[in-house]
């Protein structure tokens, strides 16, 4: 991972009182979540807003509980994120794997620039970009220079892998199949020899947050953080060594619990890295994958145990499942904004009242038809 800072025509000391908020994209991802966590841990008093794909997902609830305002949106939905950008002085564009146009690096670059231009139009003065720009380097453009032309006071670029270690229990967690108490298998339609570069999201989040909180701090040399590049077979071997669970990898066209759209996207991204050996930047001490796996071995075992439990649960009838989904949605809505709990309760009772009224009207009509016939 490398960091570069570029400053515009005037110094800037961070979000002002009038723009006392920091926007983070891909807040639902592990990378985005640890950025949000680091921002709050700094205790600088800034409000944090996070763009997420689903405000009611478990991942979004985690950052909502931290105190972040979660808003549905991404760098591709500019027409829907006006509330998120309002009042922000700094934007952190954390590129998610689903933000990448896999077969067109120029399109990805334009997507980022369009989002940045939108942020500048909303009076955001500082911009932090973090993502894997290996493909964009083929365009012979300097992303920071392009962003600076838009008029930002300061621009930081943090180059880091699209995937992180924590993805093994999140976005890539759906590839674990064939689970038993002491073994499991990872399945994805990727060449076993393809290398996947990754970094620790927690370590990266602290660096990115530091950029946002100190926008005018310049660095003469790139700040480098260790990253790991292994094949999926290599990662499986490390997981086995760290956890004591026999983890293997097998290439499979089956998408498991990963959606077909995401599985295809991941396949294209990982395949593009190739099998020639990834040269990763080294510098500031950061966890490598094996150390990370040893640190999280107990939570990883619990993660696999929860998958086994969910696989063994009875499906139930459609009515009971629908009722459970409604209650889950209401409970999640309460968690998004605890101050709005009474609104949710009112909505729930109104929902019940409407169902009762419809039932009475339907029964009455049926009775009238029965007597008239």
């Amino acid at each position: 991972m490398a960091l570069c800072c570029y400053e515009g025509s005037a110094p800037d000391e961070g979000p002002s009182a009038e723009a006392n908020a920091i926007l983070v994209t891909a807040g639902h991802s592990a990378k985005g979540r640890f950025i949000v966590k680091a921002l709050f841990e700094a205790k600088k008093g800034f409000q944090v807003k996070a763009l997420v794909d689903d405000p009611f997902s478990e991942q979004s609830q985690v950052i909502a509980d931290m105190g972040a305002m979660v808003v549905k949106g991404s760098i591709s939905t500019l027409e829907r994120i006006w509330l998120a950008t309002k009042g922000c002085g700094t934007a952190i564009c954390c590129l998610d794997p689903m933000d990448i146009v896999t077969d067109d690096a120029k399109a990805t670059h334009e997507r980022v620039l369009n989002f940045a231009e939108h942020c500048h139009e909303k009076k955001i003065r500082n911009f932090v970009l973090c993502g894997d720009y290996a493909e964009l380097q083929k365009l012979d453009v300097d992303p920071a220079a392009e962003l600076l032309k838009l008029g930002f006071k300061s621009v930081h670029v943090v180059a880091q892998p699209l995937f992180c270690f924590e993805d093994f229990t999140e976005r890539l967690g759906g590839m674990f199949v064939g689970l038993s108490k002491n073994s499991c298998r990872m399945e994805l339609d990727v060449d076993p020899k393809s290398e996947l570069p990754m970094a620790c999201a927690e370590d990266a989040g602290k660096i990115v947050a530091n950029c946002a909180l100190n926008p005018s701090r310049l660095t003469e040399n790139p700040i480098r953080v260790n990253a790991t590049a292994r094949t999926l077979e290599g990662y499986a071997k490390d997981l086995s060594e760290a956890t004591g669970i026999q983890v293997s990898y097998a290439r499979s066209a089956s998408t498991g619990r990963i959606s077909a759209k995401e599985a295809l996207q991941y396949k294209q991204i990982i395949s593009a890295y190739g099998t020639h050996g990834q040269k990763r930047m080294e510098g500031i001490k950061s966890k490598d994958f094996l150390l990370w796996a040893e640190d999280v071995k107990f939570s990883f075992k619990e993660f696999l145990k929860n998958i086994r439990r969910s696989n063994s649960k009875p499906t139930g009838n459609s009515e009971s499942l629908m009722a459970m989904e409604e209650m889950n949605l209401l409970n999640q809505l309460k968690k998004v904004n605890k101050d709005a709990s009474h609104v949710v309760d009112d909505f729930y009772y109104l929902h019940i009242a409407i169902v009762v009224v419809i039932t009475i009207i339907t029964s009455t009509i049926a009775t009238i038809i029965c007597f008239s016939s």
Side-chain angles (χ1 to χ4, degrees):
M1 181 184 306
L3 177 149
C4 297
C5 174
Y6 301 77
E7 192 174 39
S9 57
D12 188 78
E13 297 303 328
S16 65
E18 292 76 22
N20 195 25
I22 298 175
L23 174 66
V24 181
T25 70
H28 55 276
S29 68
K31 291 193 302 182
R33 185 175 68 251
F34 277 106
I35 292 172
V36 172
K37 182 174 182 286
L39 289 171
F40 280 119
E41 286 180 344
K43 297 181 179 179
K44 298 293 185 179
F46 297 130
Q47 180 188 10
V48 178
K49 300 181 179 182
L51 295 181
V52 298
D53 60 355
D54 178 7
F56 303 122
S57 69
E58 182 179 350
Q59 292 79 10
S60 297
Q61 296 308 310
V62 171
I63 58 174
D65 288 342
M66 291 180 191
M69 174 183 177
V70 295
V71 181
K72 181 177 177 63
S74 70
I75 65 172
S76 301
T77 58
L78 303 183
E79 71 283 357
R80 286 187 263 163
I81 61 173
W82 65 270
L83 179 62
T85 55
K86 183 178 176 60
C88 291
T90 298
I92 300 175
C93 180
C94 178
L95 283 183
D96 185 84
M98 300 307 292
D99 292 329
I100 303 299
V101 183
T102 55
D103 57 350
D104 192 342
K106 184 177 180 180
T108 301
H109 182 57
E110 291 177 350
R111 182 175 290 180
V112 172
L113 288 180
N114 289 338
F115 172 73
E117 186 174 5
H118 176 82
C119 290
H120 186 260
E121 290 173 355
K122 299 301 180 182
K123 310 303 180 183
I124 292 176
R125 297 171 298 166
N126 309 305
F127 196 86
V128 182
L129 174 63
C130 46
D132 193 329
Y133 262 69
E135 287 299 314
L136 290 183
Q137 290 174 354
K138 299 177 182 178
L139 300 177
D140 293 326
V141 297
D142 181 353
E146 293 290 312
L147 291 168
L148 209 54
K149 289 178 183 177
L150 297 177
F152 290 108
K153 295 294 183 181
S154 68
V155 172
H156 286 78
V157 175
V158 181
Q160 65 181 95
L162 286 171
F163 293 92
C164 61
F165 301 159
E166 291 80 358
D167 282 333
F168 274 100
T169 56
E170 296 190 23
R171 71 168 67 250
L172 296 176
M175 67 179 176
F176 288 96
V177 297
L179 289 91
S180 68
K181 186 176 181 179
N182 300 312
S183 66
C184 65
R185 184 175 65 259
M186 300 190 308
E187 288 188 357
L188 200 63
D189 190 12
V190 172
D191 186 341
K193 296 181 180 179
S194 290
E195 292 186 341
L196 172 60
M198 287 183 160
C200 176
E202 184 173 11
D203 293 337
K206 294 175 182 177
I207 292 178
V208 175
N210 185 56
C211 293
L213 297 172
N214 303 281
S216 294
R217 182 174 297 172
L218 300 175
T219 56
E220 294 182 1
N221 299 309
I223 297 176
R224 304 174 187 274
V225 178
N226 294 336
T228 302
R230 287 181 174 76
T231 64
L232 287 174
E233 288 180 337
Y235 285 118
K237 182 179 179 181
D238 282 353
L239 285 172
S240 299
E241 181 179 342
T243 65
I245 297 175
Q246 287 301 117
V247 183
S248 61
Y249 172 74
R251 183 171 187 175
S252 172
S254 173
T255 60
R257 296 182 311 283
I258 300 177
S259 72
K261 179 180 178 180
E262 290 175 326
L264 178 60
Q265 183 82 344
Y266 301 162
K267 173 185 176 180
Q268 292 175 337
I269 291 174
I270 298 173
S271 298
Y273 286 120
T275 61
H276 49 75
Q278 299 287 327
K279 294 182 179 179
R280 305 310 299 173
M281 295 179 179
E282 297 182 359
I284 293 178
K285 186 176 181 180
S286 176
K287 291 187 183 77
D288 64 11
F289 182 76
L290 183 57
L291 179 58
W292 173 85
E294 290 173 346
D295 287 345
V296 302
K297 61 182 178 182
F298 294 111
S299 59
F300 180 74
K301 290 179 180 179
E302 189 64 26
F303 163 73
L304 295 180
K305 186 185 295 183
N306 288 336
I307 296 178
R308 294 201 307 272
R309 287 172 181 167
S310 63
N311 290 341
S312 62
K313 283 182 180 179
T315 56
N317 58 61
S318 58
E319 290 79 6
S320 62
L321 289 176
M322 186 178 297
M324 289 174 61
E325 286 297 322
E326 288 183 356
M327 288 306 300
N328 287 337
L329 178 61
L330 292 170
N331 290 332
Q332 289 172 345
L333 184 56
K334 287 184 179 182
K335 292 178 71 176
V336 171
N337 188 346
K338 296 180 176 62
D339 295 333
S341 294
H342 64 281
V343 177
V344 178
D345 290 334
D346 292 343
F347 170 78
Y348 176 71
Y349 292 125
L350 177 62
H351 170 74
I352 297 298
I354 292 175
V355 171
V356 171
V357 171
I358 292 176
T359 302
I360 293 174
I361 293 175
T362 303
S363 299
T364 303
I365 293 175
T367 302
I368 293 174
I369 294 176
C370 180
F371 279 111
S372 61
S373 60

